[in-house]
Amino acid sequence: MRFGSFARVGLLLGAASVAFAAPVMAQEKKVMTATDMWGLKRVASPALSPDGKAAVVSVSVFDLKTDKRAADLWLFPVDGGPARQLTTDPAAEADAVWSPDGKYIAFTAKRDDDKAPQIYVLPVGGGEAKRVTTVPTGARTPKWLADGKGLVFMSRVWTDLSTWDDQAKRLKDREETKMTAKVWDKAPIAYFDHYLDDRENHLYATDIDGAAPRAITLGSGVSVQYNEGGAPFDISPDGKEIAFPVNVDKVGNRPNIDLFTIAVAGGAATNITPDNKTGPDSNPVYSPDGKSLAYNQRTIFGFYGENAKLMVRDRATGATRNITDGFDRSASDFSWTDDSAALYGAVDDASVQRVYRYDPKGKDKPRRITDGSTGDVTDVEVAGKSLVALRQSISAPAELVAIDAKSGKVRDISAANAQALAGFQMGKVESVTYKGANNADIQMWVVYPPNFDPTKKYPAMMLVHGGPHNAITDAFSYRWNAQVFAGWGYVVTWHNFHGSSGFGQAFTDSINPEWGEVPYQDTMKAADWLAAKPFIDKDRMLAAGASYGGYLTSFILGREHPFKTLVIHAAVYNLYTQYAADFSGSQARFKEFWDDQANIARNSPHMQAGKFKTPTLVLHGEQDLRVPINHGIELFNTLQRRGVESRLVYFPDENHWVLKPQNSVFWYSEVERWTKAHVTPGPAN
Ligand SMILES: CSCC[C@H](NC=O)C(=O)N[C@@H](CC(C)C)C(=O)N[C@@H](Cc1ccccc1)C(=O)O
């Protein structure tokens, strides 16, 4: 679906549209279904103009008939006023970046005959976008050079080939050959849903006039560590130096990411964080005055749940400070102010993502700016006098907002989904705290069915989150949408059990290396809390989870619990087979499994198979290389062998997550059919 013609002034996405939307009467409102949810527009991370006056975001829409996504760039004045659609091409545009003079926006897209994503440059004042690269291996994550005449980008290339023609030929040969074997000498071999090939990520510079790109890191002896997301590198404000992450592990299975710098002109690369040998140094960002380099550091090997410290390096002396010393939160998101006097970023902070201000000198403690009362605020961007971000909640998808850095007030800029949401009757959302394992305070989200009547009794659907070192914050989920489940007639909960992030490092780390028992107890105590409520029917409770959440749900399956049925997606069911199945399994922080098999015996859900008796819906994707398909098959076959009512829903073309629209709608329909058959939804007297 398109929003309109090029450069059309669009009220549709602007905040102004809220005022003009026809009011929808309560009785006309409907509960949101999975299909409705797929009709919502998805607003991605903003890119703020250098003067801070306008923000560009990519807005995606999905077509349920074709399963296709279209994404276009929209420009929003930060102070309000109508949004302007910048692109209408059927291809999805991404990675938007403003030129230093604010006159152009570069982005990546696979348009027309492009076989891989290329960089395009669009004049902001009007005119067509012009393609500036023709790189057979694709151009990703562009950043402008300081003079505005060129860009640096990343491409994944074979390092034994010296020309783009040779790269193109090998790509063609690999596509055409009937010999499909892959060979590795070093781990990792895969990332989430794809096998890694024998290429490396390297940086190139290109002029915007379309001259052949020039290699920067190729020949330096190191390559860029990159899996997904935004640009992992930054260019110094004088346009002379680039900082980028490198995995210096020579063995495989002991990843050690250090930050390197290299001249934009190429040459030798220098490791600037060689002393941190046990954790990743990442996300380098130069201060606008060019004096400092901010980056994240973790130091505990194999523990992604470690709080990321925010480090600031003096580029002249190399002296480096941890400016978040004593801050018991992870500072993984940050953006410098123009005067280099502060940084702002979103923090996973006790069940909500809130914006904090950091002092680059480390004298002032990180200061909370937004209070979290209106949902998660993430993806913070600072420029000129503006601070923009995305805001979302359990009941509303992300929209672009402006933040007042002094008062913390959050103001809507986009309203891409205001009209659609006005037609839905959402359930009330509450944050509660109960006493969990070891008498600790556990935060839990409760989402009530629309038209909830506290004098009646409702069934409960307890959702168990993944990670485990993640948290359920006030965010809109497309994969496990609590409002869709509440619309079926359940009181839905998400509890942030021990191990969750955002509640302090000790709480996060309290389930290592014993993954099962304490989160299990937290879940049972959450069930007790619910069962004691007059509005809950304790004989109509179910639990559902995915990934680590599927681990904990299958751990529950082999133990005492009050649930009438369980829904288990992409579960880590067998810790023996998960152990070395992917990159996470390869990072043993404590003992290797052959040195501590008792831990696996205590913690692996499959060891309790002899006690399985609860009807269970098992779901898994074939392309899941994070938790491979064997887990779902083992769990289902074991339930069948024990004569326990069970059903396996298998997705041949989905990975760790169900991401395709029609498959997702089918996933929701299977979960709805199964849960309703085992736990009657809706109120009873
Ligand atoms: C957000 S980082 C979580 C990464 C975590 N890494 C280490 O294990 C992870 O992938 N966890 C898996 C389970 C693991 C394979 C044992 C998991 O539970 N994934 C969850 C959470 C998640 C959400 C978004 C991105 C990555 C993971 C899930 O898939 O819902």
Side-chain angles (χ1 to χ4, degrees):
M1 176 191 149
R2 312 245 54 81
F3 295 119
S5 59
F6 173 68
R8 171 182 155 188
V9 170
L11 281 177
L12 191 56
L13 287 177
S17 63
V18 189
F20 299 118
V24 182
M25 298 308 187
Q27 64 269 29
E28 292 169 25
K29 292 191 178 195
K30 60 190 284 282
V31 297
M32 185 178 68
T33 64
T35 305
D36 295 329
M37 184 191 76
W38 276 97
L40 296 173
K41 299 182 177 82
R42 302 195 192 186
V43 178
S45 292
L48 199 48
S49 60
D51 62 6
K53 291 189 174 158
V56 164
V57 292
S58 152
V59 180
S60 298
V61 286
F62 289 84
D63 182 343
L64 260 173
K65 285 205 184 81
T66 59
D67 247 16
K68 293 228 163 74
R69 178 176 78 101
D72 286 311
L73 299 179
W74 283 75
L75 185 139
F76 289 86
V78 170
D79 285 341
R84 180 153 68 94
Q85 184 170 2
L86 295 176
T87 62
T88 58
D89 191 277
E93 285 90 18
D95 297 325
V97 272
W98 291 79
S99 62
D101 62 6
K103 290 188 176 152
Y104 297 92
I105 290 166
F107 59 85
T108 60
K110 216 166 127 184
R111 289 182 161 186
D112 305 324
D113 298 333
D114 293 345
K115 292 207 168 64
Q118 303 298 339
I119 297 172
Y120 288 78
V121 171
L122 177 79
V124 179
E128 290 301 318
K130 192 181 95 180
R131 189 174 64 196
V132 299
T133 58
T134 318
V135 176
T137 45
R140 292 185 170 81
T141 63
K143 283 209 170 179
W144 286 90
L145 284 161
D147 62 7
K149 291 184 179 153
L151 298 126
V152 172
F153 66 88
M154 198 168 51
S155 194
R156 191 166 169 80
V157 296
W158 285 281
T159 55
D160 59 322
L161 304 178
S162 51
T163 68
W164 291 116
D165 284 348
D166 288 344
Q167 300 281 342
K169 183 172 176 314
R170 186 167 291 170
L171 274 176
K172 191 162 176 282
D173 290 348
R174 295 255 172 125
E175 264 167 40
E176 288 174 355
T177 179
K178 299 285 178 263
M179 196 294 292
T180 54
K182 292 181 191 294
V183 179
W184 296 271
D185 293 308
K186 192 176 160 195
I189 68 164
Y191 185 75
F192 267 90
D193 60 352
H194 60 275
Y195 288 101
L196 301 175
D197 62 14
D198 46 348
R199 290 186 280 174
E200 290 179 356
N201 294 309
H202 282 283
L203 297 175
Y204 294 84
T206 185
D207 295 336
I208 55 171
D209 65 9
R214 178 177 54 73
I216 299 174
T217 50
L218 201 66
S220 69
V222 293
S223 61
V224 184
Q225 165 65 28
Y226 178 75
N227 286 317
E228 60 184 8
F233 65 91
D234 198 26
I235 309 172
S236 61
D238 63 6
K240 291 188 176 157
E241 183 185 274
I242 301 179
F244 62 105
V246 175
N247 184 0
V248 297
D249 172 33
K250 295 270 181 283
V251 185
N253 282 347
R254 297 273 314 168
N256 176 15
I257 317 296
D258 283 339
L259 287 182
F260 280 63
T261 54
I262 192 167
V264 170
T270 308
N271 187 343
I272 59 166
T273 61
D275 296 340
N276 178 20
K277 300 191 192 316
T278 48
D281 299 290
S282 58
N283 304 335
V285 186
Y286 289 95
S287 60
D289 64 10
K291 291 184 180 159
S292 311
L293 180 74
Y295 63 95
N296 284 131
Q297 184 171 80
R298 289 189 169 94
T299 50
I300 305 174
F301 184 78
F303 181 37
Y304 76 88
E306 181 187 356
N307 285 338
K309 302 176 190 81
L310 184 48
M311 313 295 289
V312 174
R313 176 186 170 91
D314 180 324
R315 292 180 64 210
T317 63
T320 303
R321 300 180 280 281
N322 170 10
I323 64 161
T324 49
D325 196 23
F327 182 51
D328 200 6
R329 296 287 186 266
S330 199
S332 53
D333 172 70
F334 55 89
S335 177
W336 286 96
T337 53
D338 283 359
D339 59 4
S340 304
L343 302 105
Y344 288 88
V347 175
D348 175 357
D349 182 23
S351 81
V352 187
Q353 298 267 355
R354 300 173 228 250
V355 177
Y356 272 75
R357 178 192 185 277
Y358 303 104
D359 169 14
K361 295 196 167 55
K363 284 187 188 140
D364 301 337
K365 288 197 177 347
R367 180 155 52 86
R368 193 187 267 184
I369 301 295
T370 58
D371 64 6
S373 59
T374 56
D376 278 10
V377 180
T378 60
D379 300 73
V380 178
E381 277 267 307
V382 189
K385 293 196 175 92
S386 303
L387 218 151
V388 298
L390 294 179
R391 188 233 322 252
Q392 59 179 311
S393 72
I394 285 174
S395 310
E399 296 283 2
L400 180 66
V401 292
I403 296 159
D404 183 316
K406 284 212 176 79
S407 67
K409 277 209 178 110
V410 181
R411 173 175 54 82
D412 289 331
I413 300 179
S414 75
N417 291 300
Q419 200 142 12
L421 293 177
F424 300 140
Q425 197 179 6
M426 298 290 192
K428 190 182 81 172
V429 179
E430 209 173 62
S431 172
V432 301
T433 303
Y434 69 92
K435 292 288 177 194
N438 307 320
N439 214 28
D441 284 343
I442 303 292
Q443 186 275 343
M444 178 163 76
W445 293 102
V446 184
V447 183
Y448 297 89
N451 291 324
F452 174 73
D453 177 350
T455 64
K456 301 212 161 116
K457 285 200 176 288
Y458 288 81
M461 179 176 196
M462 289 190 58
L463 304 179
V464 184
H465 77 70
H469 307 307
N470 286 64
I472 293 301
T473 56
D474 197 359
F476 193 80
S477 172
Y478 290 91
R479 293 189 285 122
W480 291 82
N481 193 287
Q483 288 288 2
V484 169
F485 300 142
W488 297 345
Y490 298 105
V491 171
V492 181
T493 61
W494 281 113
H495 57 306
N496 280 311
F497 47 79
H498 280 85
S500 303
S501 54
F503 297 88
Q505 192 70 92
F507 187 82
T508 304
D509 210 6
S510 63
I511 63 161
N512 293 315
E514 300 291 334
W515 256 21
E517 186 58 31
V518 171
Y520 162 71
Q521 285 179 26
D522 286 338
T523 310
M524 293 307 105
K525 298 225 167 170
D528 292 345
W529 183 93
L530 278 167
K533 295 288 164 203
F535 55 82
I536 291 290
D537 180 349
K538 65 179 174 37
D539 295 322
R540 287 190 292 155
M541 306 221 304
L542 72 105
S547 198
Y548 172 88
Y551 161 85
L552 193 51
T553 312
S554 37
F555 190 93
I556 289 167
L557 176 63
R559 281 160 179 83
E560 287 299 310
H561 67 77
F563 305 118
K564 292 289 174 292
T565 189
L566 298 168
V567 174
I568 303 186
H569 183 99
V572 178
Y573 166 63
N574 182 336
L575 281 182
Y576 280 101
T577 55
Q578 179 63 23
Y579 187 80
D582 75 346
F583 64 92
S584 70
S586 65
Q587 298 176 37
R589 176 173 165 211
F590 297 94
K591 288 183 178 161
E592 301 285 2
F593 89 85
W594 49 87
D595 292 327
D596 189 8
Q597 299 195 26
N599 179 291
I600 289 195
R602 278 193 307 277
N603 286 287
S604 184
H606 85 289
M607 296 299 285
Q608 301 298 323
K611 295 183 191 147
F612 291 177
K613 53 177 190 277
T614 313
T616 299
L617 175 65
V618 181
L619 310 102
H620 220 113
E622 174 71 40
Q623 313 295 331
D624 189 347
L625 302 179
R626 193 81 174 105
V627 182
I629 183 68
N630 66 288
H631 291 264
I633 294 173
E634 285 176 39
L635 174 54
F636 175 69
N637 282 342
T638 305
L639 287 161
Q640 291 281 305
R641 200 161 302 168
R642 287 187 49 76
V644 178
E645 187 189 352
S646 44
R647 181 176 173 95
L648 174 64
V649 180
Y650 164 82
F651 294 93
D653 55 347
E654 295 288 356
N655 60 19
H656 195 49
W657 305 305
V658 179
L659 298 175
K660 296 183 178 167
Q662 288 186 21
N663 282 341
S664 164
V665 170
F666 180 74
W667 183 96
Y668 276 95
S669 72
E670 280 292 304
V671 173
E672 181 176 12
R673 205 182 64 84
W674 180 271
T675 54
K676 286 185 174 174
H678 293 85
V679 174
T680 309
N685 289 319

